[in-house]
Amino acid sequence: MRELNLPLTPEDIAGLQAYDQVLLTGKLYVGRDQVHSLLYERLLRSESLPIDLMGQAIYYMGPSPAPAGKVIGACGPTTSARMDPFSPLLLDHGLKVMIGKGPRSQDVVDAIRRNKAVYLQAFGGCGALYASTVKSSRILAFEHLGPEALLLLEVEKFPAIVAIDSLQGSVFTY
């Protein structure tokens, strides 16, 4: 199990191989379909983004309401394939780490390798476990999207598995 700090360095990413287990600590963006669509559209129009994607990580999840005394409710991963139409462009603009569940399209795999990025698999059904790693949460943009707004989490020892590495490794059959 490798403990890594976010944002990952190019050396961190180059050293990861499919099936590696990691624990992530640091700043982690959260965005799903609608956030990806809005970021994608802004990039197509050459407009500025509410965040700097360079070297950053994004987690595909929708949080549950926070119970009393907690930072966030259950926050397990959602299906990554829904972000596939948008991911290559985001990777081409500096995104380096994507975290979700399930396989990715060949276009995304190619963009991961072209950009020396990585895709991490989070564990479905473990929303309470992931919530226990979240130390803070705040909305950064697109507040009108409610639970699907663009968030910034501070996480500590967030567990994941390298699903697609920056070279040729993958836990999926392509």
Side-chain angles (χ1 to χ4, degrees):
M1 182 81 64
R2 291 185 59 189
E3 292 191 26
L4 298 169
N5 291 314
L6 294 170
L8 298 184
T9 67
E11 294 78 22
D12 289 334
I13 291 170
L16 293 173
Q17 296 180 1
Y19 298 98
D20 283 352
Q21 298 175 31
V22 297
L23 294 173
L24 303 173
T25 297
K27 295 182 185 331
L28 178 60
Y29 291 113
V30 173
R32 289 177 35 170
D33 322 40
Q34 293 181 57
V35 165
H36 277 67
S37 177
L38 291 167
L39 295 174
Y40 180 86
E41 291 299 324
R42 285 184 178 196
L43 288 171
L44 289 180
R45 294 190 303 262
S46 299
E47 295 176 4
S48 65
L49 300 181
I51 59 172
D52 181 2
L53 291 176
M54 291 305 290
Q56 296 301 322
I58 194 162
Y59 178 37
Y60 308 144
M61 71 92 175
S64 299
K70 300 288 184 180
V71 173
I72 198 168
C75 57
T78 194
T79 303
S80 300
R82 293 197 322 262
M83 275 49 78
D84 283 3
F86 314 110
S87 295
L89 184 63
L90 298 181
L91 288 162
D92 289 344
H93 280 84
L95 184 66
K96 289 296 181 187
V97 181
M98 300 170 293
I99 306 170
K101 67 178 181 181
R104 307 304 299 266
S105 70
Q106 189 60 53
D107 286 343
V108 173
V109 172
D110 293 343
I112 288 169
R113 294 185 177 140
R114 176 174 68 246
N115 291 287
K116 296 180 177 39
V118 66
Y119 170 57
L120 304 177
Q121 183 89 16
F123 307 99
C126 295
L129 168 67
Y130 285 111
S132 74
T133 73
V134 178
K135 304 308 172 196
S136 68
S137 173
R138 68 182 171 102
I139 295 173
L140 293 180
F142 314 128
E143 189 170 349
H144 67 282
L145 298 177
E148 290 203 28
L150 178 63
L151 305 177
L152 178 62
L153 304 181
E154 184 76 33
V155 298
E156 185 177 322
K157 296 188 178 180
F158 180 103
I161 294 176
V162 177
I164 302 171
D165 65 33
S166 63
L167 301 171
Q168 298 297 320
S170 175
V171 300
F172 307 107
T173 303
Y174 287 101

